[in-house]
Amino acid sequence: MKFFEKRPMIMILIGILGISLSGIFVKYSTAPSGVTAAWRLLWTVLFLTPAVFSSAPTRRELFTLPKKNLFLSLLSGLFLAIHFVLWFESLSLTTVAASTAIVCTEVIWVSLGFLFLGGKLSLRAILAIAITLLGSVLIVWGDFGDASQFLGDILSLLAAIAVAVYTLIGRTVRKTTGTTVYTYVVYAACAGVLLLYTLARGTGLFAYGMSAPIVGLLLSVFSTLLGHSIFSWCLKYFSPAFVSASKLCEPVVAAIFAAFLFGELPTPLLLYGGALILGGVFYYSRLEMREGK
């Protein structure tokens, strides 16, 4: 790791590549969204289990987790499962560029959640939110004539709201719970919900061949472990504002991959809407950092 500690920018690039491949991998799955999502979380929990139980302090914290935090973590896992099902389904209906750009509005829905809970927003923050929502409207409007893509855009928007709720709950629990324990409980709960969801729909985990397990493994390794986990590691070497801004490269890189692999060329409205979304989210993220939130 010393090589990467001296060159942390390489890890940023790996992280961007990892999260940008999420939509691409999902597109290759022939299984329903719930099955693919279940495999992603099952692999992730499998990889995390040795790390959690090999540490005595982590085991102790896990087994003594207060009931309130346990309940909130399970609830957080539920909303994360909803996010995965909605977003994966969105990717089967609309383009990678549109779905990824819209789901990146998560931070905006988090801010509106704070406002709903009694918080306050500055005029600049409201402007950033308005710009971002306008970008989403442009993308949805551009796909209005295509029922499938329109539904995909709406599902991606709902996925962004679901993951925003997951984030809001997480910020509350993380005040008194370690990252490793919280993440493990949430991922385990999410995997359990997705398993129940697939069983309720009568779809078995192995009913679609090896497509779902392989895609789930790729998502777990690249998008979770080599994606989001790397960005957490990079916070030691870069400012939160820079790390957050780096994540906004995801829709752009994902769109480039999709254009070459699936021939998904973005329309003018998608380009304009995507630019507004990324600009609004980036502007809002900078405002949050300046205000120390």
Side-chain angles (χ1 to χ4, degrees), residues 70-283:
L70 176 60
F71 171 75
L72 289 175
S73 298
L74 295 176
L75 186 63
S76 182
L78 170 62
F79 278 97
L80 184 60
I82 294 172
H83 160 73
F84 279 130
V85 171
L86 291 174
W87 188 47
F88 286 10
E89 190 65 29
S90 165
L91 287 164
S92 69
L93 297 171
T94 189
T95 62
V96 171
S99 181
T100 307
I102 292 175
V103 88
C104 277
T105 61
E106 170 208 347
V107 65
I108 300 303
W109 299 106
V110 169
S111 68
L112 291 176
F114 276 124
L115 184 63
F116 179 77
L117 294 173
K120 294 182 180 181
L121 293 175
S122 64
L123 289 177
R124 290 182 178 181
I126 293 174
L127 175 62
I129 291 172
I131 292 172
T132 305
L133 295 180
L134 176 60
S136 301
V137 169
L138 285 179
I139 293 177
V140 173
W141 180 261
D143 291 338
F144 188 76
D146 188 311
S148 177
Q149 290 193 0
F150 177 74
L151 177 58
D153 294 343
I154 298 300
L155 289 177
S156 182
L157 190 62
L158 293 175
I161 295 174
V163 80
V165 176
Y166 151 79
T167 301
L168 284 168
I169 297 173
R171 288 188 177 185
T172 301
V173 180
R174 280 287 293 107
K175 292 177 181 178
T176 55
T177 304
T179 302
T180 302
V181 170
Y182 169 72
T183 302
Y184 185 73
V185 174
V186 168
Y187 285 171
C190 183
V193 170
L194 291 169
L195 279 175
L196 292 175
Y197 174 75
T198 57
L199 291 174
R201 291 179 59 89
T203 53
L205 291 178
F206 295 95
Y208 301 89
M210 293 303 296
S211 170
I214 292 174
V215 170
L217 176 62
L218 293 173
L219 286 167
S220 177
V221 173
F222 285 90
S223 305
T224 302
L225 301 179
L226 294 180
H228 297 290
S229 296
I230 279 183
F231 281 122
S232 297
W233 179 86
C234 286
L235 288 171
K236 179 180 178 181
Y237 302 93
F238 297 102
S239 69
F242 179 77
V243 174
S244 297
S246 300
K247 293 180 182 179
L248 293 180
C249 295
E250 177 187 357
V252 178
V253 177
I256 294 173
F257 277 126
F260 282 101
L261 295 173
F262 310 122
E264 294 181 357
L265 299 178
T267 62
L269 275 179
L270 175 55
L271 290 174
Y272 298 146
L276 284 174
I277 287 175
L278 296 183
V281 171
F282 177 74
Y283 181 50

Side-chain angles (χ1 to χ4, degrees), residues 120-126 283-293:
K120 294 182 180 181
L121 293 175
S122 64
L123 289 177
R124 290 182 178 181
I126 293 174
Y283 181 50
Y284 181 81
S285 299
R286 292 298 300 271
L287 288 175
E288 270 204 337
M289 290 305 304
R290 289 175 184 174
E291 295 173 7
K293 292 184 179 179

Side-chain angles (χ1 to χ4, degrees), residues 6-28:
K6 294 179 179 179
R7 303 167 181 84
M9 194 62 202
I10 296 177
M11 298 297 277
I12 286 285
L13 296 176
I14 293 174
I16 292 172
L17 178 63
I19 62 174
S20 300
L21 288 172
S22 294
I24 304 301
F25 289 147
V26 173
K27 280 280 191 180
Y28 278 111

